[in-house]
Amino acid sequence: MKHKDGKPGPQGDKSSRLVPMSIMFIVLCGFSFYLGGIFCSEKNRFNTKNVARDVQSPKRSVATPLQIKPTQFPVCSSDYQDYTPCTDPRRWKKYGLQRLSFMERHCPPVYERKECLVPPPDGYKPPIKWPKSRDECWYRNVPYDWINKQKSNQHWLRKEGEKFLFPGGGTMFPRGVGAYVDLMQDLIPEMTDGTVRTAIDTGCGVASWGGDLLDRGILTVSLAPRDNHEAQVQFALERGIPAILGIISTQRLPFPSNSFDMAHCSRCLIPWTEFGGIYLLEIHRILRPGGFWVLSGPPVNYKNRWRGWNTTVEEQRSDYEKLQELLTSMCFKLYNTKDDIAVWQKSSDNSCYNQLAKPDVYPPKCDDSLEPDSAWYTPLRSCVVVPNPKFKKSALTAITKWPERLHTAPERISDVHGGSASTFKHDDSKWTVRVKHYKKLLPAIGTDKIRNVMDMNTAYGGFAAALVDDPLWVMNVVSSYAANTLPVVFDRGLIGTYHDW
């Protein structure tokens, strides 16, 4: 340092000042550690006392059960025994008649929702066990006389004593569903070798077609609305046959694109050629490339059948030609036909869809803004959903045959975030172990006591796959808000649906 006159000033001894500072620092640190030790020991002593007080011995915990206040709900009145909130006939008048849209899902607002337990019908009995239930059920469990009286001449069902019997008849198969499916297999050999595994039956009646196919290794979703054919789906479920409430109207069906191997309509009264063929376009969307669409009833075999359809031969010829024209425009080809059954096959060659790029072509190709798998309250559109060309192995002609298909990682798993062949195999292994544990907790699983099962929050269908050899079926539900894994479920030969709970 220097004074302001430039002369050097006296410098203090630096070492003499550093020593006292160092000593002071060490003293302060030591004192801090001392205080910290006292505080921590007191804290530990306090926590130990709390733990000793709160943690009880095993014997004491057994002796004092957990107290839970139960929540109780009243029982609904008896006229609610068939209550389905979102397809409630009591509310139909609130919605439009166009294209029967009042039969679609219309859930009640919060202030109209019921908070009561839906009662069983009077005289309800435990359901008859599978496989006997396919042929008979208790009348009191589904006490609907209207459908019995209207369809008794077509052998849908008949009442004998305390039971409904299901002879396997139908409007288009008076000789029985077995003979009907035998003829269908002659027309479609792929039904017999594991190629066709999943199917949908639109307008299923009492689901006899789907019931017959179960013995042939084909898993069918039987679809029907709440309409004047009382409780068609209720009959199906009582019989132990997969079914779901639904109607092709103004909204897409709750299934992803390119899912089913086969679709079927046996005089289901769906006006396929009306509204620009919009219902056929929905069948095209959910049908896998190479999949089959089977139609029996008007206008098939119109030359021999038109007199019984309250129409003229000219009208039926016109309807058939219009149907064929629409199907051709959607890349379907007539595959086979005999008697009352006609079979079309959806093209597995995407080059067919090049024609949709031409101007003024109907129906046009759907634009890229419309997600093919969006199917929860998604309006129908008059356009063709073209299969994604990157999936070469998802077509019916290329996919692994059943039963190997069940444990083969589907190609479309790559579209799932984090999905891969390894995660698929891990999920399979995990559910194999879990189901063994489930059966220890609930021994009825795997016996004839449990038939209809729902997996309310599936990923890849691993739970259903682990139960595939048991006498039950599983409806796999994927949340409309979750990752879209439902295509993977269908690709492995299982069935499911979207739902938002």
Side-chain angles (χ1 to χ4, degrees):
M1 297 291 294
K2 293 183 178 180
H3 289 291
K4 55 185 178 181
D5 58 1
K7 295 182 179 180
Q11 295 183 2
D13 187 358
K14 293 182 180 180
S15 60
S16 63
R17 281 188 290 176
L18 283 174
V19 171
M21 291 177 65
S22 300
I23 294 172
M24 182 64 70
F25 179 75
I26 292 171
V27 170
L28 289 174
C29 286
F31 187 65
S32 298
F33 280 118
Y34 174 73
L35 292 177
I38 293 174
F39 175 77
C40 289
S41 63
E42 289 297 318
K43 182 180 179 182
N44 288 341
R45 187 155 60 97
F46 176 76
N47 287 342
T48 303
K49 288 180 179 179
N50 285 345
V51 172
R53 184 176 66 248
D54 294 339
V55 177
Q56 303 170 353
S57 66
K59 291 182 180 179
R60 187 176 176 184
S61 63
V62 172
T64 308
L66 182 65
Q67 298 296 318
I68 300 176
K69 185 179 180 181
T71 300
Q72 296 184 345
F73 295 96
V75 177
C76 305
S77 59
S78 59
D79 58 335
Y80 278 90
Q81 68 181 31
D82 290 324
Y83 182 54
T84 49
C86 299
T87 53
D88 186 2
R90 297 175 180 87
R91 306 178 71 249
W92 282 354
K93 291 182 180 179
K94 297 183 178 182
Y95 306 103
L97 299 177
Q98 183 187 18
R99 287 162 47 184
L100 303 180
S101 60
F102 63 91
M103 291 186 182
E104 293 184 305
R105 285 179 58 86
H106 300 287
C107 297
V110 174
Y111 60 86
E112 288 187 18
R113 293 178 186 174
K114 302 295 179 184
E115 292 191 357
C116 55
L117 304 177
V118 176
D122 292 335
Y124 181 88
K125 299 181 180 182
I128 295 171
K129 303 294 190 296
W130 181 267
K132 195 176 180 181
S133 64
R134 178 168 44 198
D135 302 319
E136 59 182 45
C137 73
W138 296 114
Y139 166 75
R140 294 308 313 172
N141 290 9
V142 277
Y144 308 112
D145 289 313
W146 186 92
I147 192 171
N148 176 44
K149 294 175 182 177
Q150 291 293 319
K151 298 297 181 180
S152 59
N153 64 324
Q154 297 174 9
H155 308 293
W156 283 27
L157 72 167
R158 69 173 182 270
K159 184 176 180 292
E160 286 190 7
E162 295 185 341
K163 293 181 179 178
F164 273 130
L165 305 183
F166 301 92
T171 308
M172 297 308 301
F173 36 95
R175 294 190 299 118
V177 68
Y180 177 74
V181 176
D182 287 343
L183 174 57
M184 198 175 295
Q185 287 185 331
D186 291 340
L187 300 176
I188 311 173
E190 292 85 349
M191 292 176 65
T192 63
D193 65 358
T195 301
V196 173
R197 165 62 183 170
T198 59
I200 182 169
D201 188 11
T202 54
C204 64
V206 293
S208 293
W209 187 74
D212 182 87
L213 288 177
L214 287 171
D215 278 344
R216 305 177 193 241
I218 298 175
L219 193 57
T220 303
V221 175
S222 296
L223 180 82
R226 286 287 300 264
D227 63 0
N228 59 339
H229 292 172
E230 294 177 285
Q232 298 174 79
V233 167
Q234 190 67 28
F235 275 114
L237 296 175
E238 187 70 22
R239 299 174 69 185
I241 299 171
I244 189 171
L245 281 171
I247 183 174
I248 308 179
S249 178
T250 66
Q251 308 285 334
R252 282 180 171 180
L253 295 176
F255 311 112
S257 63
N258 310 318
S259 296
F260 292 97
D261 305 333
M262 180 166 64
H264 171 255
C265 162
S266 174
R267 200 168 187 183
C268 57
L269 303 180
I270 297 175
W272 297 112
T273 58
E274 293 183 20
F275 311 110
I278 198 166
Y279 304 140
L280 273 177
L281 287 165
E282 178 62 356
I283 293 296
H284 176 278
R285 184 187 71 86
I286 64 174
L287 200 60
R288 187 180 303 279
F292 300 99
W293 184 56
V294 182
L295 177 65
S296 64
V300 176
N301 198 16
Y302 68 89
K303 293 179 181 178
N304 298 315
R305 290 284 193 179
W306 67 271
R307 291 180 180 85
W309 294 339
N310 298 320
T311 183
T312 65
V313 67
E314 290 79 13
E315 288 177 349
Q316 288 301 305
R317 181 189 297 112
S318 175
D319 281 351
Y320 185 82
E321 291 173 352
K322 189 175 181 180
L323 178 68
Q324 181 62 54
E325 181 182 354
L326 278 168
L327 288 165
T328 301
S329 70
M330 300 175 197
C331 293
F332 281 98
K333 289 185 178 180
L334 185 63
Y335 185 77
N336 216 336
T337 182
K338 186 176 181 180
D339 298 337
D340 295 325
I341 300 176
V343 182
W344 286 267
Q345 185 176 29
K346 180 179 173 178
S347 176
S348 55
D349 181 6
N350 268 31
S351 64
C352 172
Y353 298 102
N354 293 337
Q355 62 180 331
L356 304 181
K358 299 177 181 178
D360 301 324
V361 168
Y362 185 87
K365 174 185 174 182
C366 292
D367 58 53
D368 294 336
S369 66
L370 188 62
E371 168 58 45
D373 293 343
S374 176
W376 189 247
Y377 290 99
T378 301
L380 291 179
R381 292 271 297 275
S382 297
C383 58
V384 178
V385 175
V386 178
N388 193 328
K390 77 175 183 179
F391 295 122
K392 306 293 185 183
K393 298 179 181 179
S394 296
L396 191 62
T397 52
I399 202 164
T400 306
K401 293 184 178 181
W402 183 265
E404 291 79 12
R405 174 176 172 179
L406 180 65
H407 298 294
T408 302
E411 190 179 27
R412 287 197 281 182
I413 198 170
S414 62
D415 265 6
V416 179
H417 179 70
S420 65
S422 60
T423 59
F424 177 84
K425 295 296 182 185
H426 175 72
D427 187 76
D428 247 12
S429 301
K430 176 181 68 178
W431 278 108
T432 300
V433 174
R434 282 183 176 178
V435 164
K436 289 180 180 178
H437 182 60
Y438 285 7
K439 289 183 176 181
K440 292 179 182 178
L441 298 174
L442 188 62
I445 299 177
T447 72
D448 61 3
K449 293 181 179 179
I450 293 180
R451 175 62 186 168
N452 302 339
V453 180
M454 180 186 293
D455 185 348
M456 297 174 63
N457 186 31
T458 193
Y460 302 134
F463 174 62
L467 293 169
V468 73
D469 293 325
D470 293 329
L472 53 79
W473 64 274
V474 180
M475 179 63 76
N476 294 281
V477 180
V478 171
S479 170
S480 59
Y481 298 106
N484 182 28
T485 59
L486 198 53
V488 175
V489 173
F490 275 96
D491 285 353
R492 65 188 305 186
L494 303 172
I495 57 175
T497 183
Y498 292 116
H499 205 288
D500 65 358
W501 294 119

